[in-house]
Amino acid sequence: MHTPIRNHTDQPRNPNYEKDIVYVTKYLKRILNIVGIWPEMLIGIGRFLPKISMILSNFLLVFFEVQCVLHVTFEQKDPMLRMRILGLACHSLVCLLKYWALIMRKSRIKFCIEEVYTDWKQVELQTDRTLMLKYGKIGRNLTIYCALFAYCGNIFYVTILQYAIGSQIDDDNCTIRILMYPMYSGLFDVQKSPIYEIVYVLQCIATLILNTMTAGCCGLAALFATHACGQIDVIMSQLDDLVEGKFFNKDYNSNNRLTEIVQHHMRILKFSATVETVLQEVCFFEFIGSTFVICFLEYYCITDWQQNNKFGVVTYTAILISVTFNLFLLCYIGDLLIEKSANIGVSCCMIDWYRLPNKTTQGVILIIAMSNSPMKFTAGRIVYISLATFGNVGFYKYSVCVLQMKMYANSCIEN
């Protein structure tokens, strides 16, 4: 039967909660453990592992970001190559900012994850558990899709494009081995062995961290949003049972049942507000950064197409698809939460409310009023994360791409 709001000290009512939690969080936990964001209750020397991971990750990202800036500022004179390095620096900076935002919100992330754990522990009805598993599976699959597109897109960049470019001969007849992240030569000679090999391995690790941040941010949004959607479905099932009270405590009258539903609803609203606070900076950086990165990638595809660089076109197209798809998934997650939370009001209208006492009916009206302001994710509290927003930004990107094509065509004609 449905029970009143519980606290974290209550005994688990779901005998399968450990298996359910592992099923829902398995892949996201692995991803965020790489960068030390997932809250772990470790003992002994193991409790220092997340901090060590964060220090090393920050060092690598900041080091290569500074190297890119120094190389563009003091060494690189070719405007075309500067544009390519600028896109890479922009992507790295966005990922670094998202990383810092998650580090600042780590305590709130821990609180939200504990709330997820508590809900899985305290679910009692098999029908409610089935509803939660339905959306838990959606969040799990979205995390997998984000990770696949994030990692696969940049594998092309650090492997195929790396070896397709190969080595070059400079004006002094010296062999120059190319690195995807340009290094400032004033610090050390990266062309010497084993410095080149060490730097290349570190760049691969830095790329792994960048992709992990992209997948981790999207995965966190997927976990929290789909969990809230599952809880909303549980609330809707409670509303369907409000009149009959078959699955509530037999001693509960309609007012007691409505009180429990409102308490549950308020708890989910507070959870959603906390999640929005956790992710608002991350979504802002993701939204703005992805817009600039996609414009850069479109430009790279156009120029490589004109130069008949097939490897470059394939690589940048793969990265473009990866970035666009991950942004689409983030907007889909936000849209799913908006749509599902608005359905609570619809569910209130569909019950046999005329069979309820007048006082209980007035309480149902308040739930309908609350559902008129659905739960939302925002990008820095500026724009809502939804499919409509993705469509608007997509139109903007398309317009920028067409403008870039016209400008490049005009420059080719003039030359």
Side-chain angles (χ1 to χ4, degrees), residues 276 279-285 377-383 385:
E276 200 276 335
L279 297 178
Q280 61 179 341
E281 294 93 356
V282 172
C283 291
F284 176 77
F285 294 136
F377 289 161
T378 64
R381 297 187 178 179
I382 298 175
V383 295
I385 302 299

Side-chain angles (χ1 to χ4, degrees), residues 58-186:
N58 275 287
F59 172 77
L60 285 178
L61 294 180
V62 172
F63 176 75
F64 287 118
E65 181 70 21
V66 172
Q67 289 294 307
C68 285
V69 173
L70 291 176
H71 179 79
V72 171
T73 304
F74 297 108
E75 292 184 338
Q76 188 55 250
K77 305 301 180 183
D78 189 340
M80 294 289 292
L81 292 178
R82 277 189 170 186
M83 285 291 293
R84 293 183 183 272
I85 299 172
L86 186 60
L88 175 63
C90 178
H91 175 64
S92 302
L93 179 60
V94 168
C95 290
L96 184 60
L97 291 174
K98 289 191 294 184
Y99 192 20
W100 289 345
L102 288 182
I103 292 175
M104 291 175 58
R105 302 292 188 181
K106 190 174 180 181
S107 59
R108 289 179 180 264
I109 293 174
K110 181 179 179 181
F111 170 78
C112 292
I113 292 175
E114 289 175 347
E115 289 292 303
V116 172
Y117 281 19
T118 301
D119 288 335
W120 278 107
K121 289 179 180 179
Q122 302 302 338
V123 63
E124 187 170 359
L125 287 176
Q126 182 60 34
T127 54
D128 292 347
R129 177 172 175 262
T130 302
L131 292 173
M132 293 173 63
L133 282 173
K134 171 187 173 183
Y135 282 95
K137 183 178 180 180
I138 294 175
R140 182 175 183 265
N141 291 338
L142 287 174
T143 301
I144 294 173
Y145 297 150
C146 291
L148 285 176
F149 276 86
Y151 290 120
C152 292
N154 283 275
I155 283 175
F156 283 88
Y157 190 76
V158 297
T159 57
I160 294 177
L161 190 60
Q162 171 83 20
Y163 291 105
I165 296 175
S167 301
Q168 297 179 355
I169 305 297
D170 63 5
D171 297 336
D172 298 328
N173 199 28
C174 295
T175 301
I176 303 297
R177 293 181 288 182
I178 303 299
L179 287 169
M180 292 298 99
Y181 294 82
M183 301 292 293
Y184 178 57
S185 60

Side-chain angles (χ1 to χ4, degrees), residues 181-192:
Y181 294 82
M183 301 292 293
Y184 178 57
S185 60
L187 185 61
F188 50 80
D189 187 3
V190 75
Q191 296 299 318
K192 294 182 179 179

Side-chain angles (χ1 to χ4, degrees), residues 202-388:
L202 291 178
Q203 288 189 357
C204 291
I205 297 174
T207 302
L208 173 67
I209 296 172
L210 294 176
N211 299 332
T212 299
M213 289 311 307
T214 300
C217 294
C218 194
L220 268 180
L223 172 66
F224 295 148
T226 53
H227 178 74
C229 290
Q231 291 297 299
I232 290 171
D233 266 7
V234 172
I235 293 174
M236 291 169 64
S237 72
Q238 292 175 347
L239 284 169
D240 292 338
D241 190 42
L242 177 60
V243 177
E244 300 293 339
K246 295 179 181 179
F247 301 107
F248 284 88
N249 193 313
K250 294 181 179 180
D251 297 330
Y252 280 10
N253 56 31
S254 59
N255 286 331
N256 295 135
R257 295 195 289 268
L258 182 62
T259 299
E260 180 181 332
I261 293 172
V262 171
Q263 287 177 335
H264 196 174
H265 189 201
M266 291 299 298
R267 184 165 178 262
I268 298 305
L269 289 175
K270 292 178 181 179
F271 172 79
S272 176
T274 305
V275 172
E276 200 276 335
T277 302
V278 169
L279 297 178
Q280 61 179 341
E281 294 93 356
V282 172
C283 291
F284 176 77
F285 294 136
E286 180 71 30
F287 219 72
I288 301 300
S290 294
T291 301
F292 281 103
V293 170
I294 288 176
C295 291
F296 278 119
L297 291 171
E298 290 170 345
Y299 175 76
Y300 301 155
C301 290
I302 294 170
T303 54
D304 283 355
W305 182 273
Q306 293 289 337
Q307 297 171 3
N308 199 27
N309 183 358
K310 297 180 181 179
F311 285 104
V313 172
V314 171
T315 300
Y316 290 123
T317 300
I319 301 175
L320 177 61
I321 293 173
S322 171
V323 175
T324 305
F325 188 77
N326 278 317
L327 182 60
F328 168 79
L329 286 180
L330 185 63
C331 292
Y332 170 78
I333 292 166
D335 199 76
L336 181 67
L337 182 62
I338 293 173
E339 180 181 359
K340 180 57 67 172
S341 59
N343 287 342
I344 295 180
V346 177
S347 182
C348 289
C349 297
M350 299 300 291
I351 65 175
D352 296 337
W353 52 266
Y354 50 84
R355 296 171 53 189
L356 295 171
N358 290 335
K359 186 176 181 181
T360 306
T361 304
Q362 293 173 359
V364 172
I365 295 174
L366 294 178
I367 297 179
I368 296 174
M370 286 168 41
S371 67
N372 288 331
S373 298
M375 309 171 193
K376 298 183 179 74
F377 289 161
T378 64
R381 297 187 178 179
I382 298 175
V383 295
Y384 294 126
I385 302 299
S386 65
L387 291 178

